[in-house]
Amino acid sequence: MKRLQILFQPSGNSRLISGVISLSILMLLACTMPALVQAAKEKKIPSEQIEFFEKEIRPVLVKRCYACHGPKKQEASLRLDSHAWMMKGSDSGVAVIPGDPLKSRMIQVIQYDDDDSQMPPEGKMPPKEIAALTRWVKMGTPWPISKNDPTVIPGSGSYDYATLSKSHWAFRPVVNPKLPKIKNQQRISSPLDYFVISRLEEKELSLSPPVDRRKFIRRASVDLTGLPPSYEDVETFANDPSPNAYEKLIDRLLASPDYGERWGRHWLDVARYADTKGYVFTSERRYPYSYTYRDYVIRAFNEDLPYDRFIQEQLAADQLDRKGDDRSLAALGFMTVGRRYRGNIHDITDDRIDLVSRGLLGLTASCARCHDHKFDPVPSKDYYSLYSVFVSSYEPAEKDLPLIGKPKSEKAYKEYQVERSKRQKIIDDYQHDEGQKFRANARLTVAEVLQAIAFKHKLTGIDEKPQYTKEAPHRRYVDLWQAFLTNKAKLYPAVFSPWMALTPIKKGEFSTKSVEIIQKLVEQEAKTPSGTRYNHLIVHALKNHHPQSIYDVCRIYGNVFKEVELQWIKTLEDAKKNKIKLPEKLNDQNAEELRQILYHPESPTVVSDEVVQSMFNRAQRNKIRQLQKNIETLDVTSPGSPPRAMVLLDKEKSVTSHVHLRGNPGRRGEIAPRQFFRILAGEDRKPFQKGSGRLELAQSISSRENPLTARVFVNRVWMHHFGEGLVRTPSDFGVRSALPTHPELLDYLAYQFMNEGWSVKALHKSIMLSATYRQSFQKSSKAVMIDSDNRLLWKHAPQRMGFEAMRDSLLFVSGQLSKERGGKSYLIDKIPTDPRRTVYSFVDRNNLPNVFRTFDFANVESSTAKRPFTTVPQQALFAMNSPLLIEQSGLLVKDLNLEKMAKEKSVDAAIVALYQRVLARKPTADEIDLGKNFLIHHRDQVKSPARMSGWEKYAQVLCTSNEFMFVD
């Protein structure tokens, strides 16, 4: 067997090229020798070894190796232009073992052994060069280091973990920093303000003045619930004289069920939630129960489920004490609602590793699928440790997913059960009918499977292929017959003794020896009953047909079995025709003996329906898929389909994977035990012991000792409140991440978050009661000159509402927003509009609705750290022309009954009512005048299916105004 290759560049044939290379080497030596000598002195390399390397070794490496293993190209990931790179080795492992040339692959492959790789491939090196390289390796590979030498990216787990865990801010333990000293104590509303004001004072800046209460309640309401406050709520808060008015407001908003719908949607972005599987061939592309994960997330935020428990349930709810409440099993949708990648388990697992690493830890671990991470301390072995965890789990069939509740309608549930039973019966009947056909055909085609056995096991040394009537029998069916012959042939010696006597005959001797054996069988059979009895039908069939090969024997046996089966079928039909009792056996002893074999309970010709299904051909499998899809479609569409959890369960036997070299599952590297990242778990980490290790993984991630988890989450929360995170790469806290603008503040928030029981609502409250959050948007030329990006947080920048908040706010002010929560998703682009909140809309991976694309919806293919923010013409066109805006503007006018109010009271009163509903304030006198002029301009326009009334257009203008669409 050939050894794994390490590739080298062959020498060229041109003397000119050789001369140029030699000249280049001499020039290189002349230029670098002084520096190398100095470096050698520092490394204490003997001068004679330096001279040997520069004269005998470096020229060979340059001439023979650099083209394929140099700075521009690295075949098999091997690089030989520096000692560090050389010691890193190749995809296949270590290239050089200093001091041991016999075990060094580089020396092995240049020997040109016939049974090994041969490098350089175009010709063997001269003996002098081979001897020089061998001697150099035996010396210990001395290599004088120059400051110009390329440095190596640490690989194969050779990261300096100890240094990185101390030097990189994200890998250091979370600490509770001391509050910095500041001058302006008056602005402090929360301890976190100390960290912000301290940074501002360093630049001689300050916080902007506090925002007024009317703007604050809108900011807080949209931030926490995704809905604007009502006019009455604004007035109540604005006139609340109590000292804890802000705290009461935030507590009320956090207690609202609207809060979970708002912040649940933020988490669904991280979880790459969608209601479809991506491209899945002919199967049902919709997830029947994805909505149960969405509803779980919303409930978790509303109930303020501690974040550490939230993590554990999403990774291993099946292994936690649920105290009789199985609703938390839906949390495992975190792992299972991702894209299906056409069923490719490697890609599905990679998606889950990426989700866990980026979504929970802020580490781009999926970069290590094909090679050690280029920047972060995540070697491929650590990636495949997580791979081992997830491939040790499986997803049950949809019909076996656990129930976690009941449908809302009992009547609909009963109808669903009846219809599902009908559709399942169609599948069961089809599978049983195909099983019956298979068994009936199997008893008539024994010759086919015996020929397949003869070919597979090379009986009598034959090489030619058998001649099948239709197609080769399924390999599993062949194995079943082989096992039957091995285990049961002794029970039927009269039938199978001739077979056992004929199969050992060597190739080339069959035609002569078979005649002798068959003649003896005939003679012995004639002595019955005194001699050993043989089946008369088998022996005489062999005698009459003179087999010339083992295939002839197979066909003879098969024909005899076929004749017996046809005889039995006719016997049964005659009995039915004559209406007599069905016989239990054939009258002829020899025929009955063969029939018993065909109907033996362990005979391959009576296999169960389940076994037959495993041997279905493509057409049969496609038919089953289509019938199964009918059930899956019912599960998706029926209102009576009960909610089920999309769970992961541990396999009976856990898997310990190997590293896939270059990401190729066919190239196995070292074993990757199930364990946590070394940079986070430490030098003394232990492999996971409990099943797949999912629970231990979840506990490692949610541990207070983990420096990343709390930091990553509090940064996400901060980002949604301020528009930017303290770390502006929210899913990448690695060594190439953006540095935190306020590292002490990040640690303070993370420490307090964990210290307060991982309470997300407490985190919100801490942030929103701060003076930093409560400041206004103030223009300051000095601040702009110093910090134009507002990294120091000297103002609270306005933010445009995301699509969900925009649509929900529109439904809210039009009076149409439904209080119905949870349940199956609805189609968002249908008119009339479903009035439920946008978080409950159907998210289609294959065909994301255009309105989502227009307003920067999350990328549902993978975990989304932060949505993009665009301002494009399509957004303005949507505001002016979309059926949603036109519909809701009309409903708003109708809900307020503005036309009647204008007639019975006044136009002024109607305009005031409209402002109070849409903008939660009273209009100014100028705004009333503008409104009147607008309505006068449109008063002669007649409403029709293609046009809007003046009041509807006026309502649309307010609903698309910056004041409505933006939050100060």
Side-chain angles (χ1 to χ4, degrees), residues 442-615:
R443 290 189 285 269
L444 297 172
T445 56
V446 174
E448 308 281 295
V449 71
L450 291 180
Q451 290 183 81
I453 291 172
F455 178 71
K456 180 177 180 180
H457 296 278
K458 301 297 182 185
L459 299 182
T460 69
I462 56 175
D463 295 323
E464 64 271 17
K465 293 183 179 181
Q467 300 296 318
Y468 299 119
T469 305
K470 291 184 177 179
E471 59 184 15
H474 194 281
R475 60 180 179 276
R476 184 174 183 188
Y477 183 52
V478 175
D479 291 341
L480 290 172
W481 258 103
Q482 178 60 40
F484 181 78
L485 290 175
T486 302
N487 299 325
K488 301 297 180 182
K490 294 178 181 179
L491 299 178
Y492 300 96
V495 175
F496 290 111
S497 290
W499 170 268
M500 304 299 291
L502 292 169
T503 50
I505 302 176
K506 294 181 180 180
K507 182 181 179 181
E509 300 177 354
F510 195 92
S511 58
T512 55
K513 287 195 174 184
S514 62
V515 173
E516 298 175 7
I517 292 173
I518 292 171
Q519 184 59 38
K520 289 181 180 179
L521 292 172
V522 171
E523 292 174 356
Q524 200 164 4
E525 192 268 336
K527 298 177 182 178
T528 305
S530 58
T532 302
R533 191 182 74 81
Y534 293 101
N535 188 283
H536 176 80
L537 298 177
I538 293 292
V539 171
H540 281 266
L542 290 169
K543 175 188 175 184
N544 295 335
H545 291 88
H546 306 294
Q548 299 299 307
S549 70
I550 189 62
Y551 286 148
D552 287 344
V553 175
C554 296
R555 285 188 282 268
I556 290 168
Y557 262 86
N559 289 336
V560 175
F561 275 110
K562 182 177 181 179
E563 290 173 3
V564 169
E565 173 63 8
L566 292 174
Q567 181 183 348
W568 176 243
I569 292 172
K570 186 176 185 304
T571 301
L572 293 176
E573 289 177 349
D574 289 345
K576 291 177 182 179
K577 184 177 180 181
N578 297 323
K579 297 181 180 180
I580 60 176
K581 183 180 178 181
L582 295 179
E584 295 182 356
K585 61 180 182 179
L586 291 170
N587 294 327
D588 181 77
Q589 179 185 5
N590 291 281
E592 174 60 20
E593 189 172 39
L594 293 167
R595 190 198 70 82
Q596 288 181 7
I597 293 174
L598 292 178
Y599 288 90
H600 188 281
E602 297 182 37
S603 172
T605 57
V606 293
V607 291
S608 66
D609 289 345
E610 289 74 18
V611 175
V612 174
Q613 291 166 35
S614 69
M615 298 186 285

Side-chain angles (χ1 to χ4, degrees), residues 382-442:
D382 276 8
Y383 172 92
Y384 285 99
S385 291
L386 263 65
Y387 179 94
S388 295
V389 169
F390 292 124
V391 297
S392 294
S393 304
Y394 73 97
E395 295 178 69
E398 287 179 353
K399 64 182 179 64
D400 297 324
L401 295 175
L403 289 168
I404 55 172
K406 294 182 179 180
K408 297 178 180 179
S409 169
E410 186 66 28
K411 179 182 177 183
Y413 179 51
K414 290 180 179 178
E415 292 173 352
Y416 161 79
Q417 287 181 306
V418 171
E419 181 60 28
R420 200 180 199 283
S421 296
K422 289 180 181 178
R423 299 188 186 194
Q424 183 63 53
K425 188 175 184 302
I426 293 174
I427 295 178
D428 295 341
D429 289 347
Y430 174 78
Q431 291 174 334
H432 181 68
D433 290 345
E434 292 301 304
Q436 292 286 66
K437 292 177 185 177
F438 176 87
R439 289 183 283 271
N441 184 66

Side-chain angles (χ1 to χ4, degrees), residues 107-120:
I107 303 304
Q108 292 170 356
V109 297
I110 63 176
Q111 300 296 333
Y112 258 60
D113 293 333
D114 291 337
D115 62 343
D116 195 5
S117 300
Q118 298 177 345
M119 296 294 160

Side-chain angles (χ1 to χ4, degrees), residues 258 261 811-812 815-821 834-837 840:
D258 298 322
E261 292 168 330
L811 291 170
F812 176 80
Q816 306 303 307
L817 187 64
S818 171
K819 295 295 183 181
E820 183 182 353
R821 305 186 191 278
D834 190 305
R836 285 192 291 166
R837 291 200 65 166
Y840 300 116

Side-chain angles (χ1 to χ4, degrees), residues 334-349:
F334 180 69
M335 305 302 301
T336 55
V337 298
R339 185 178 160 197
R340 291 288 103 175
Y341 296 95
R342 301 185 181 183
N344 186 315
I345 187 60
H346 308 298
D347 290 341
I348 292 171
T349 305

